[in-house]
Amino acid sequence: MTTAPPPADSAARLTGLVRALRGHGLRIGPAETVDAAAVLDVLGFADREQMRAGLAAALLRSDTQRAVFDATFDLFFPLGVGTPEAVRADPPALPDDPRPPRPGHPDPLRDDLRERLAAALTADDRAAQARLAGEVVEAFGRYGAGATPASDGWSAHQALGRLAPETLLARILAALRERATAPDLSDRVLADEIRRRIQDFRALVATEARRRVAELRGAERIAERAVAPTADRIDFLAAGRDQLAELRRTVHPLARKLATRLAARRRRAARGRIDLRRTLRRSLSTGGVPLRPAHRLRRPARPELVLLCDVSGSVAGFADFTMLLVRAMSEQFSKVRVFAFVNRTAEVTALLARGDADPARLAARILTEAKVMGHHGNSDYGSALGEFAERHLDAVGPRTSVLILGDARNNHRDPNLDALRRIADRARRVHWLNPEQPALWRTGDSAAAAYAGVVEMHSCRNARRLGELIARLLPV
């Protein structure tokens, strides 16, 4: 295993890194690429972590992009190639049969690696953990050996599943308690620290497996398929708990950006159209040349906004994020009212306003504190839209923009298009934001195609797309 990429291919590695980052939505232009090349020229390859920091400073625009950058950097500027030297010098004693032993049978290799890992995690020895990551992938991560080359690979999931480092927590906790210098240190604090170390080790294993697969498949291909996207590109419907938590942390930065855009649009709109008569009159002082156009000044009032959100389990994360975003942008509107539904509709504006303590559980609080469900818990858009049109239509007026959030999965019930028409006739604008892709709008129990015939429906699968739609669709 060589220790650093040779300078001869540094240009190819850098351009490959830039292409891969652009594929993940990072805006990197020629100027940033030239700056990154200058960084490589100045820093060289002697200190890899210094080179990583320098390239990140040249290429990135925000801290939220760092996770994608680090994972991609490790593919194009790996710590080495091939089997790590430490593992090659003292390889783990692989059994003749690569299959895991049956339950209840001894597994000496696994037991040895777990014992050494427990010691390394207890001592927080990063060098030992990095070596163990290579050994674990070498011992347990290979799949497809002996088959066609296209089926060969390395799996961090397979390796970590065999090793099960999470089950070492109690052993490491006991060891740390014995050597703790602060006797009042709580077990909870120690346990959190151990979980952090185990998570860091899992990341080392994942990085090692990705590096080896990149050697087989190509770095650009693996960067496209195996590197997690930035938070604003995570699909709402596919996001897990940790990813949704990361999304919620982007609410306020995104709200500030959107508020700035809406304010700029409002300033431009206030100028109005050119007043031809006043412009010609002004041009008399400049020989008939209209150097200073005059405009019909407008004083546009801030629009009103109504959100109608499906908070059922399938789209709760999407609705939760959007409600938090709108709450953070509330100063941009003269009035904001929020309604939630599963199969009944209830106003949750007050609940949203006092939800600062725990925004992550917003949808759960709505489900328990608001009457959004009738005698069953399945989505019924027709019933919910009908109840809104009957009981809450006074919330909609000629200055009101209505955003409907949901996947339009109606469980084969009546979509009640007449209720949606009543809302659309009364509002200034109605836009439906659907977290599903358009190819699914005519499948299964989706009534999206029918609703799209009444109001504008837009696919809104991630936070980036949501921000673009809000900045473009909402009136000023």
Side-chain angles (χ1 to χ4, degrees):
M1 174 173 171
T2 58
T3 57
D9 70 343
S10 60
R13 290 178 180 272
L14 177 59
T15 55
L17 172 67
V18 170
R19 280 196 300 270
L21 293 175
R22 285 175 178 168
H24 280 279
L26 276 66
R27 295 182 178 179
I28 301 175
E32 290 83 0
T33 306
V34 171
D35 289 344
V39 167
L40 283 182
D41 185 52
V42 172
L43 298 181
F45 297 87
D47 189 331
R48 182 168 175 267
E49 291 308 310
Q50 187 180 52
M51 179 176 64
R52 181 200 299 267
L55 289 178
L59 296 175
L60 304 187
R61 301 190 180 193
S62 70
D63 290 339
T64 59
Q65 301 170 340
R66 187 58 191 261
V68 171
F69 171 83
D70 284 338
T72 310
F73 174 87
D74 288 333
L75 295 175
F76 288 91
F77 295 91
L79 186 60
V81 295
T83 303
E85 290 181 0
V87 177
R88 188 171 56 190
D90 184 17
L94 302 179
D96 297 331
D97 187 353
R99 294 174 299 180
R102 289 177 294 176
H105 288 67
D107 190 348
L109 176 58
R110 175 179 179 271
D111 294 341
D112 175 63
L113 288 173
R114 282 170 56 83
E115 196 70 33
R116 292 163 55 198
L117 177 60
L121 292 173
T122 302
D124 199 16
D125 187 342
R126 297 286 295 181
Q129 292 172 37
R131 183 186 187 284
L132 282 166
E135 291 190 48
V136 169
V137 173
E138 181 75 19
F140 303 140
R142 185 69 179 263
Y143 65 85
T148 61
S151 65
D152 290 353
W154 303 88
S155 169
H157 178 76
Q158 176 178 298
L160 290 168
R162 181 86 173 270
L163 188 68
E166 292 82 4
T167 60
L168 297 173
L169 190 147
R171 183 190 306 183
I172 301 171
L173 179 60
L176 286 176
R177 290 300 295 168
E178 290 179 0
R179 64 174 65 180
T181 56
D184 59 341
L185 199 61
S186 70
D187 284 351
R188 182 173 180 178
V189 173
L190 281 176
D192 288 344
E193 171 63 16
I194 296 167
R195 291 189 185 95
R196 182 194 63 78
R197 295 180 188 181
I198 292 174
Q199 191 63 31
D200 289 346
F201 176 75
R202 291 178 65 91
L204 290 174
V205 173
T207 299
E208 175 66 14
R210 273 198 307 269
R211 179 188 67 79
R212 296 193 182 203
V213 175
E215 292 177 13
L216 296 174
R217 305 280 187 269
E220 292 198 22
R221 183 179 179 185
I222 301 306
E224 177 185 355
R225 301 187 178 186
V227 174
T230 53
D232 63 345
R233 294 171 68 91
I234 296 173
D235 195 320
F236 285 120
L237 299 184
R241 180 181 301 177
D242 293 341
Q243 291 173 319
L244 286 175
E246 179 67 22
L247 267 177
R248 294 185 187 101
R249 285 192 285 272
T250 68
V251 164
H252 290 287
L254 179 58
R256 288 194 297 270
K257 182 185 297 184
L258 294 179
T260 301
R261 291 180 182 176
L262 289 176
R265 285 180 58 197
R266 189 172 289 117
R267 286 194 299 270
R268 288 195 298 268
R271 297 181 63 185
R273 297 182 179 180
I274 290 180
D275 187 326
L276 184 59
R277 179 179 296 178
R278 291 175 58 208
T279 300
L280 291 175
R281 189 178 300 144
R282 283 185 179 181
S283 70
L284 295 177
S285 62
T286 56
V289 180
L291 296 180
R292 294 185 299 122
H295 296 82
R296 293 189 178 95
L297 298 181
R298 294 176 53 210
R299 289 181 174 80
R302 292 185 178 183
E304 299 175 358
L305 184 64
V306 167
L307 257 64
L308 188 55
C309 311
D310 180 2
V311 292
S312 61
S314 59
V315 292
F318 169 51
D320 181 9
F321 178 82
T322 309
M323 285 188 286
L324 292 173
L325 178 62
V326 169
R327 182 183 67 180
M329 295 177 57
S330 58
E331 292 183 357
Q332 297 300 313
F333 307 97
S334 61
K335 183 186 296 183
V336 177
R337 296 182 68 177
V338 183
F339 298 83
F341 68 89
V342 175
N343 47 64
R344 294 190 59 189
T345 302
E347 184 169 6
V348 296
T349 307
L351 182 61
L352 190 67
R354 66 172 187 269
D356 296 334
D358 188 14
R361 291 185 54 81
L362 175 61
R365 292 200 307 273
I366 290 174
L367 289 173
T368 56
E369 299 180 32
K371 295 180 180 179
V372 296
M373 287 188 289
H375 59 279
H376 62 86
N378 298 322
S379 295
D380 186 344
Y381 281 77
S383 176
L385 290 171
E387 185 172 1
F388 181 84
E390 292 296 329
R391 299 180 55 191
H392 305 291
L393 201 58
D394 61 331
V396 181
R399 292 171 47 199
T400 306
S401 290
V402 179
L403 291 183
I404 304 175
L405 314 177
D407 58 4
R409 294 276 167 187
N410 203 37
N411 293 291
H412 302 288
R413 294 182 170 88
D414 177 16
N416 198 353
L417 299 181
D418 289 338
L420 183 58
R421 291 191 184 97
R422 290 178 61 190
I423 299 171
D425 290 342
R426 188 176 176 89
R428 179 179 179 182
R429 293 181 184 178
V430 178
H431 298 288
W432 192 306
L433 307 186
N434 191 328
E436 288 191 338
Q437 55 184 319
L440 301 177
W441 290 359
R442 296 181 182 272
T443 64
D445 61 348
S446 177
Y451 289 131
V454 180
V455 299
E456 291 185 56
M457 183 170 290
H458 307 271
S459 179
C460 185
R461 300 179 60 188
N462 54 52
R464 172 171 293 193
R465 176 63 174 162
L466 175 64
E468 292 172 352
L469 287 172
I470 288 179
R472 178 168 61 88
L473 297 178
L474 291 183
V476 296

